Amino acid sequence: MTQSNLKRRAAVAAVTVFMLSGAATVQAQQIDQLLTIEKQVAQAGAQSQATIDKIADETDRLVGEYRSVTTQIDNIKVYNDQLQELVAAQEKEKASLQAQIENVSGVEREIVPLMQRMIGTLEQFVKLDVPFLQQERVERVATLRELMSRADVSTAEKYRRLMEAYQVENEYGWTLEAYAGPLETEGRTRQVDFLRIGRVVLAYQTLDGGEQGMWDQEAKQWVVLPESYRNQIRQAIAVARRQAAPDLLVLPVSAPESAQ
């Protein structure tokens, strides 16, 4: 091989090495670019995944809120249905109460005159009855008459008070009572102890025990009793005041009128 051929081959080798070196440099740059792109793609993928995760979390939250709102709507529908039933029941009750009110108004128009007549009957009864607790009983009737003229008192309350007065008068018929009070006889007034046994016996005894008597319902006057009744009446007064034990007592009683 000649020297010139050797030089030519060396030159070719040098050019080849240069070209290979240049190609390697280009490939390295391309690899770097590829790595950079891959890195950017990886970063973009990570960002996209984070965005996707965020969207997924938000979606889960919205789905949860939707389900909660749906449940609330269902509950509200059930509650509204119950309210509708309640309103319907109340309307029915309202109609019933209105009918009752109209009936009460009619009853009230009838019962007020009846109560007025009952008060008049009670007043007459007190006047004709055995004269015990006269002032108290007369004042009770007067209070009822005053009550009837008051607009701030309901008819029901007036009726209750009237029935209460009748009940008190009824209880007088079977109770035993002793009380102190003034007695007017023969133009003079004395303080005495009264004894009432139902409406059968109304007797009195002076505080010193010197005189005793009883009411004669037929004659409408007080009658003085013999001294023999002194201890009996005193004992009966003590029993009525619960100062002595109940015992058998002998007291004068008006004979019942015979039937004609």
Side-chain angles (χ1 to χ4, degrees), residues 94-115:
K94 179 181 176 182
S96 175
L97 289 175
Q98 185 63 36
Q100 292 179 29
I101 289 173
E102 292 176 358
N103 291 335
V104 166
S105 298
V107 171
E108 184 173 347
R109 287 193 297 269
E110 296 178 2
I111 200 171
V112 170
L114 173 62
M115 288 192 294

Side-chain angles (χ1 to χ4, degrees), residues 36-55:
T36 300
I37 292 171
E38 183 179 358
K39 183 177 180 181
Q40 291 175 351
V41 169
Q43 291 177 349
Q47 291 176 354
S48 296
Q49 186 62 44
T51 302
I52 291 171
D53 292 341
K54 184 176 180 181
I55 293 174

Side-chain angles (χ1 to χ4, degrees), residues 110-124:
E110 296 178 2
I111 200 171
V112 170
L114 173 62
M115 288 192 294
Q116 293 285 8
R117 291 195 298 270
M118 291 176 67
I119 292 175
T121 299
L122 184 63
E123 183 177 31
Q124 188 67 13

Side-chain angles (χ1 to χ4, degrees), residues 97-236:
L97 289 175
Q98 185 63 36
Q100 292 179 29
I101 289 173
E102 292 176 358
N103 291 335
V104 166
S105 298
V107 171
E108 184 173 347
R109 287 193 297 269
E110 296 178 2
I111 200 171
V112 170
L114 173 62
M115 288 192 294
Q116 293 285 8
R117 291 195 298 270
M118 291 176 67
I119 292 175
T121 299
L122 184 63
E123 183 177 31
Q124 188 67 13
F125 179 78
V126 171
K127 289 180 180 179
L128 298 177
D129 194 21
V130 178
F132 60 88
L133 299 173
Q134 277 293 91
Q135 183 175 355
E136 177 182 321
R137 297 165 71 193
V138 169
E139 288 178 356
R140 185 180 296 115
V141 174
T143 299
L144 288 174
R145 287 203 177 279
E146 179 184 357
L147 191 69
M148 291 297 295
S149 63
R150 289 178 53 180
D152 60 330
V153 181
S154 67
T155 302
E157 175 63 16
K158 294 174 182 177
Y159 184 78
R160 186 191 69 81
R161 294 282 294 275
L162 178 57
M163 290 297 97
E164 186 178 73
Y166 266 81
Q167 182 63 29
V168 170
E169 288 292 334
N170 179 62
E171 290 177 356
Y172 286 145
W174 52 270
T175 54
L176 175 67
E177 181 181 19
Y179 61 95
L183 173 67
E184 295 184 9
T185 55
E186 299 177 355
R188 58 175 181 163
T189 301
R190 293 173 292 172
Q191 195 72 9
V192 300
D193 287 328
F194 288 100
L195 170 68
R196 178 184 61 79
I197 302 176
R199 285 186 164 86
V200 177
V201 174
L202 179 61
Y204 74 89
Q205 188 172 61
T206 57
L207 299 182
D208 60 3
E211 180 182 309
Q212 52 279 327
M214 65 172 292
W215 176 258
D216 187 335
Q217 180 65 3
E218 185 177 352
K220 302 294 182 182
Q221 65 180 7
W222 292 100
V223 178
V224 177
L225 293 175
E227 187 177 345
S228 58
Y229 285 107
R230 177 185 303 169
N231 292 334
Q232 295 292 329
I233 291 179
R234 180 187 294 115
Q235 180 69 12

